[in-house]
Amino acid sequence: MPTIDDHDERIAAAIAEQHALRARVSLRDEFGDLRLVAGVDAGFENEGTVIRAAVVVLRFPDLAPVDYALVRQPVTFPYVPGLLAFREVPAMIAAFDRLHTEPDMVICDGHGIAHPRRCGIACHLGVLLNLPTIGCAKQRLIGRYVTPPTVRGARSPLYDGSEQIGWVLRTRADAQPVFVSPGHRVSLDRATEVVMACTTRFRLPETTRFAHRLASHGQLPLV
DNA sequence: GCGACAG
DNA sequence: ATCTTGTCGC
């Protein structure tokens, strides 16, 4: 049976893997015309013992859903702040394998480089899939910032010391801002532009909203 | 030693 | 993340 020591060793191995993955992350804009943009998210069932990973592909820029995939797997890793990817990415990759299309950009529910080791879930997924990815999180993990003005589109830099690791973006006037950071193959500024382009009347981008509904309901709501 | 801590 | 009643605002 698993012991405390085994747990500690898995944590240590995960952190070591993040250092390796981090070296493979590109913060340059390595993608062409955006025709398909995907959202990915995870949900849980059976008292948290099963993870549901959902990917929904939307046509860009009209954001109409054109493809999706849903995968269920046993949970194999606990939630540890900073190690979220080890809990959710395996199921997400299985879901991407089931798509009938290949998205030009992927927006993840969580951070990209705005992470203690610059290797948030968006970086992790992007490197393993070799796809451009963006981290769009609802909550801060690390970094300091001043609250951006209350108008849609307003943004203020997220800093770790003197290094900018993301943008705190107001996607909707009267709502809490989101935290945008590059995952892989995209720059800070382009990542923020894409998130804005995928956000219409709600706080979160449509990509994330579609994926979230699929992941939490276990099927695409007919409404 | 004391907080902070994506989903 | 998930659970879950009530409440506010358009």
Side-chain angles (χ1 to χ4, degrees):
Chain A
M1 66 187 300
T3 66
I4 303 293
D5 285 0
D6 292 336
H7 174 271
D8 290 346
E9 286 182 25
R10 293 187 76 199
I11 300 298
I15 290 174
E17 191 173 335
Q18 287 186 327
H19 285 294
L21 287 170
R22 168 190 188 172
R24 300 167 59 187
V25 169
S26 168
L27 299 181
R28 300 177 23 135
D29 292 308
E30 295 166 359
F31 58 93
D33 291 343
L34 288 189
R35 294 190 174 81
L36 298 176
V37 185
V40 59
D41 191 23
F44 296 84
E45 61 182 47
N46 197 8
E47 297 168 356
T49 61
V50 172
I51 182 171
R52 268 193 309 239
V55 188
V56 179
V57 182
L58 308 184
R59 199 199 301 138
F60 189 85
D62 64 292
L63 308 179
V66 298
D67 191 13
Y68 71 88
L70 177 63
V71 159
R72 280 170 231 264
Q73 287 185 359
V75 166
T76 61
F77 205 93
Y79 170 69
V80 179
L83 301 179
L84 175 66
F86 294 88
R87 179 174 171 81
E88 302 188 347
V89 161
M92 288 175 172
I93 289 178
F96 273 90
D97 286 342
R98 292 198 174 194
L99 287 179
H100 298 160
T101 57
E102 173 160 294
D104 303 302
M105 181 64 73
V106 180
I107 299 180
C108 306
D109 194 353
H111 295 282
I113 64 169
H115 177 279
R117 291 167 292 282
R118 305 293 183 269
C119 193
I121 190 168
C123 302
H124 196 123
L125 185 68
V127 166
L128 294 188
L129 290 176
N130 188 26
L131 282 179
T133 55
I134 294 169
C136 180
K138 299 179 291 297
Q139 299 280 302
R140 184 195 73 103
L141 176 59
I142 64 162
R144 298 171 47 83
Y145 64 97
V146 295
T147 301
T150 309
V151 294
R152 171 175 157 84
R155 67 202 64 181
S156 59
L158 178 65
Y159 291 111
D160 185 9
S162 59
E163 176 185 4
Q164 187 182 353
I165 56 176
W167 283 106
V168 182
L169 176 67
R170 192 79 73 171
T171 53
R172 180 180 161 142
D174 51 0
Q176 288 300 111
V178 297
F179 299 77
V180 180
S181 61
H184 185 45
R185 292 172 56 179
V186 65
S187 64
L188 255 164
D189 289 344
R190 288 302 305 278
T192 303
E193 286 176 18
V194 174
V195 167
M196 277 301 289
C198 291
T199 305
T200 55
R201 53 181 303 214
F202 300 102
R203 178 197 181 207
L204 299 177
E206 290 302 300
T207 42
T208 301
R209 286 168 39 75
F210 271 106
H212 196 296
R213 277 181 294 179
L214 179 56
S216 59
H217 295 186
Q219 60 183 296
L220 282 179
L222 299 176
V223 190

